[in-house]
Amino acid sequence: NAGVTQTPKFRVLKTGQSMTLLCAQDMNHEYMYWYRQDPGMGLRLIHYSVGEGTTAKGEVPDGYNVSRLKKQNFLLGLESAAPSQTSVYFCASRPSGATDTQYFGPGTRLTVL
Amino acid sequence: GIQVEQSPPDLILQEGANSTLRCNFSDSVNNLQWFHQNPWGQLINLFYIPSGTKQNGRLSATTVATERYSLLYISSSQTTDSGVYFCAVGDTGANSKLTFGKGITLSVRP
């Protein structure tokens, strides 16, 4: 199993450009999450999904959209990137059972100039 | 939402020393995890421990849910233990979204 993978690993954008981050998991997990990590802030939840075709807002959703068309994939989109979205983005997934352990991908480092 | 406080914010140890990292949280939780973020940025699950005590090699963790805190113990520290340690808690709602603390930066000197 590859676990949770993220594409791309690094990206540099100019203000106003758009992009999509891809998260894929091969563990048949129901729940998937997108977080951002900023210096001194820990990780903050952007959006999450409790199953295929569902999405919900987290703590910091503004400026982002998500889609979960397939159970194994969770896409994070930036329609018009801003310098404030410079961050490291982590995807996570977990099964729907009682253990609730979240498994994290390796992260995507995004810089918006 | 739930507040998560970790202490101390920074810790410097000599190799071989022991340490205790603390996580306080403000409300009842059904999920508590400890993570280690290594210097390359990778997040590694250490423990899923909403209550009780667990041990894994030189690491152990204890959560006292009724008093709303968790402790991570590192014994005989090694330079590879360096990095940031995060505590994350999930509330009692069905979706169990995790709220992270700001982390504890540990530096182990040879």
Side-chain angles (χ1 to χ4, degrees):
Chain A
N1 284 352
V4 181
T5 59
Q6 294 183 228
T7 308
K9 290 184 170 54
F10 303 94
R11 186 72 185 268
V12 178
L13 291 178
K14 295 181 179 179
T15 297
Q17 288 184 318
S18 63
M19 77 163 295
T20 300
L21 282 67
L22 170 64
C23 176
Q25 53 94 5
D26 61 2
M27 297 175 282
N28 201 35
H29 287 172
E30 290 293 330
Y31 290 33
M32 296 186 74
Y33 307 83
W34 276 107
Y35 296 87
R36 60 178 288 172
Q37 183 179 21
D38 301 298
M41 297 289 291
L43 277 74
R44 292 181 292 168
L45 183 64
I46 305 171
H47 286 281
Y48 65 100
S49 168
V50 301
E52 182 178 320
T54 74
T55 63
K57 293 181 180 180
E59 181 185 354
V60 288
D62 293 342
Y64 305 95
N65 56 75
V66 288
S67 63
R68 183 99 180 269
L69 299 180
K70 294 182 179 180
K71 185 177 183 179
Q72 64 267 33
N73 295 337
F74 195 28
L75 304 178
L76 177 70
L78 288 73
E79 291 188 349
S80 180
S84 60
Q85 294 177 304
T86 293
S87 189
V88 180
Y89 292 85
F90 286 96
C91 175
S93 71
R94 75 168 178 91
S96 58
T99 60
D100 286 352
T101 302
Q102 289 194 17
Y103 298 88
F104 281 78
T108 294
R109 184 173 295 274
L110 175 66
T111 302
V112 183
L113 302 175
Chain B
I2 295 178
Q3 305 299 311
V4 181
E5 298 283 341
Q6 292 186 247
S7 60
D10 301 281
L11 191 56
I12 300 174
L13 297 177
Q14 205 63 34
E15 197 169 26
N18 303 329
S19 62
T20 300
L21 286 61
R22 188 176 181 99
C23 172
N24 292 333
F25 45 95
S26 61
D27 207 342
S28 299
V29 300
N30 67 357
N31 180 359
L32 189 146
Q33 292 183 246
W34 282 97
F35 296 89
H36 175 217
Q37 187 169 40
N38 65 23
W40 296 271
Q42 185 181 8
L43 278 166
I44 301 164
N45 277 304
L46 296 177
F47 294 103
Y48 167 78
I49 187 164
S51 63
T53 298
K54 290 186 178 180
Q55 181 156 6
N56 184 2
R58 296 182 296 103
L59 303 182
S60 63
T62 295
T63 297
V64 183
T66 54
E67 297 187 20
R68 298 180 183 169
Y69 73 89
S70 182
L71 302 175
L72 177 68
Y73 305 97
I74 304 174
S75 64
S76 303
S77 59
Q78 301 176 358
T79 55
T80 52
D81 295 330
S82 296
V84 183
Y85 288 81
F86 289 102
C87 168
V89 303
D91 63 26
T92 54
N95 296 326
S96 193
K97 303 182 295 293
L98 287 180
T99 299
F100 281 74
K102 293 185 178 181
I104 296 170
T105 301
L106 174 64
S107 298
V108 181
R109 304 288 170 81

